[in-house]
Amino acid sequence: MNAALESLLKHPRLWRGERTLWQDANAIASGFTALDTQLPGDGWPSGALTEILLPKPGVGELRLLLPALTRLNQDKKWIALIGPPFIPYAPAWQASGLDISRLLWVHPCSSCDHLWAAEQALRAGTCAAVLSWPPAQPAFKQLRRLQLAAETGRSWGVLFRPVTESVQASPAAVRLRLKPHDKKLSVHLLKRRGAWGGEAVQLSLPLFRVIK
């Protein structure tokens, strides 16, 4: 096979119609085998946006991300929290294995400042992950800017948004809807780059209190 064609066929952004052929060497293992088997590339997409849609904050969204954040933290890059709705509880973050000296908490004063801070953090290339809680519904154009910034900085961008915004089109590589259920977390994959959505996974989460 022509070397250029072979290289193109292995590119993680090319879908060949079969999920089993979708590979991404930079995918971030979620720490949950059942979820990894449903995510594109067998993990969270690096250099792209992940949208997590919530009925309300605090249903387990941060505990869902903790195993992946702990792995990323080993690279000694920043993990940025942009406008979280609660004060991060440092002892719990530290107990989970994170180096909290590499945790960056940004409290923007306005919606515009929030999106600007998230974009700069994603684009800089110094953040392994950028977690963002936009205070208002971003326009598609603004979401596209964040996606491009994540690609440029090779950073994992995570947006937490109300479940009511699931009807809005989004350039995110992965969109999830979370729902607590019988002491577990139900994860519905609404969109996953390279495969159809619609799958649901039931997860048991680690018992860490990551907000105060």
Side-chain angles (χ1 to χ4, degrees), residues 41-85:
D42 295 328
W44 300 114
S46 178
L49 285 184
T50 294
E51 278 193 23
I52 298 182
L53 302 161
L54 311 167
K56 62 179 181 179
V59 299
E61 62 274 20
L62 292 180
R63 288 183 291 148
L64 174 65
L65 303 185
L66 268 178
L69 294 176
T70 301
R71 287 183 174 87
L72 290 174
N73 194 226
Q74 296 172 2
D75 295 334
K76 301 302 180 182
K77 288 188 175 182
W78 293 100
I79 294 175
L81 311 177
I82 313 293

Side-chain angles (χ1 to χ4, degrees), residues 9-208:
L9 291 175
K10 292 180 179 178
H11 197 284
R13 298 184 65 185
L14 177 68
W15 181 39
R16 294 173 59 180
E18 299 180 41
R19 186 188 175 280
T20 55
L21 296 178
W22 180 275
Q23 299 294 328
D24 184 356
N26 297 315
I28 308 158
S30 73
F32 304 94
T33 302
L35 180 58
D36 282 341
T37 58
Q38 299 299 331
L39 290 170
D42 295 328
W44 300 114
S46 178
L49 285 184
T50 294
E51 278 193 23
I52 298 182
L53 302 161
L54 311 167
K56 62 179 181 179
V59 299
E61 62 274 20
L62 292 180
R63 288 183 291 148
L64 174 65
L65 303 185
L66 268 178
L69 294 176
T70 301
R71 287 183 174 87
L72 290 174
N73 194 226
Q74 296 172 2
D75 295 334
K76 301 302 180 182
K77 288 188 175 182
W78 293 100
I79 294 175
L81 311 177
I82 313 293
F86 305 106
I87 298 174
Y89 188 48
W93 287 88
Q94 191 168 24
S96 70
L98 281 167
D99 176 6
I100 59 173
S101 69
R102 306 304 299 174
L103 196 63
L104 184 64
W105 177 23
V106 181
H107 186 63
C109 295
S110 68
S111 179
C112 289
D113 288 346
H114 183 114
L115 293 172
W116 180 87
E119 181 179 346
Q120 299 310 308
L122 288 166
R123 191 181 301 278
T126 56
C127 292
V130 178
L131 280 56
S132 167
W133 291 259
Q137 182 179 24
F140 183 89
K141 182 179 179 180
Q142 294 170 317
L143 294 175
R144 180 61 179 162
R145 288 181 64 91
L146 295 179
Q147 169 63 29
L148 292 175
E151 293 176 6
T152 300
R154 299 303 303 164
S155 182
W156 178 32
V158 182
L159 298 184
F160 299 100
R161 304 178 64 193
V163 70
T164 53
E165 296 181 12
S166 60
V167 296
Q168 181 191 16
S170 171
V174 171
R175 299 188 89 191
L176 309 176
R177 184 177 70 241
L178 303 186
K179 182 179 180 181
H181 180 70
D182 291 338
K183 297 183 180 181
K184 293 188 176 182
L185 189 67
S186 179
V187 180
H188 295 261
L189 289 96
L190 304 180
K191 175 185 176 183
R192 47 184 175 172
R193 186 168 59 187
W196 297 106
E199 298 292 333
V201 180
Q202 300 288 330
L203 302 177
S204 297
L205 300 179
L207 298 176
F208 287 118

